[in-house]
Amino acid sequence: MTDEPRWLDDTEGRAWMSLLAVVLVGFPQLERTFRPHGLVHVEYGLLAALGNACEGLRLSDLAGQMNMSPSRLSHRMRKLVDLGYVEITGDACDGRVSIARVTEAGREFVDRIAPAHVADVRRLIFDHLDPAQTAALADALGTVAKNLGESCPGSPAAPKGPSVPGTRPMGMHARQE
């Protein structure tokens, strides 16, 4: 006897199709902010992750945090180094370890582009939701992200708050009045 697949019900189907729309339509729209500067969203994410790590990050830790293979990370980092946004140095305690840090030029770039990025995120997602929907979305996606993190080696863990890299990268911090 074959096991019958657990088909999606109507609500699950709507959720899945909506998520696909966000990924397939929303993310390309977000890319428009970065493309005039020669970057893609994942490179901006690397800058944001490094910007949140004052002392820099080991390349192996950065690859795990961003769920990237070492070769993919190397390719992206080479581009960011060539642009002057990132520097890679050896670790003072362990010469076998490489540490990536965002440069001042990288910080200035992110500070300049972050307002447009957050405006796009708000326009595409949060401007259409009330606070209860935003909380429900955060809870639901947090659960999914947590389970993805547990099942995929090197995947980021579920977001716990604003300190999660990419949540509020340099220049996207809440303004204190």
Side-chain angles (χ1 to χ4, degrees):
M1 180 167 118
T2 62
D3 290 330
E4 179 71 19
R6 286 184 51 217
W7 300 109
L8 302 180
D9 66 26
D10 289 343
T11 303
E12 292 167 331
R14 281 187 317 121
W16 176 243
M17 295 307 292
S18 297
L19 181 59
L20 283 177
V22 169
V23 171
L24 298 175
V25 177
F27 269 88
Q29 288 187 37
L30 287 173
E31 292 285 336
R32 291 182 191 153
T33 301
F34 309 113
R35 291 216 173 148
H37 304 283
L39 295 182
V40 293
H41 197 272
V42 70
E43 293 157 348
Y44 180 81
L46 288 167
L47 287 172
L50 290 172
N52 289 330
C54 297
E55 300 300 316
L57 287 172
R58 294 166 48 125
L59 289 180
S60 59
D61 293 339
L62 182 59
Q65 183 176 323
M66 299 297 291
N67 194 29
M68 297 176 89
S69 68
S71 63
R72 183 174 181 224
L73 177 67
S74 177
H75 171 74
R76 298 297 179 181
M77 293 303 288
R78 192 171 23 256
K79 182 177 178 181
L80 293 173
V81 167
D82 289 348
L83 289 169
Y85 296 157
V86 171
E87 64 182 5
I88 299 175
T89 59
D91 186 298
C93 298
D94 185 348
R96 299 170 295 172
V97 173
S98 295
I99 306 292
R101 290 177 187 82
V102 69
T103 64
E104 190 56 38
R107 286 185 192 285
E108 290 171 5
F109 170 75
V110 172
D111 284 345
R112 195 171 60 250
I113 200 167
H117 175 57
V118 74
D120 285 345
V121 170
R122 287 194 177 285
R123 176 181 57 81
L124 292 169
I125 308 291
F126 298 108
D127 286 351
H128 308 285
L129 303 175
D130 63 35
Q133 290 172 314
T134 299
L137 180 65
D139 290 344
L141 291 177
T143 299
V144 171
K146 178 180 183 286
N147 287 311
L148 289 174
E150 291 171 355
S151 65
C152 299
S155 291
K160 294 180 177 72
S163 63
V164 173
T167 306
R168 283 189 184 161
M170 304 163 293
M172 284 181 61
H173 295 280
R175 303 287 181 216
Q176 299 292 331
E177 296 298 322

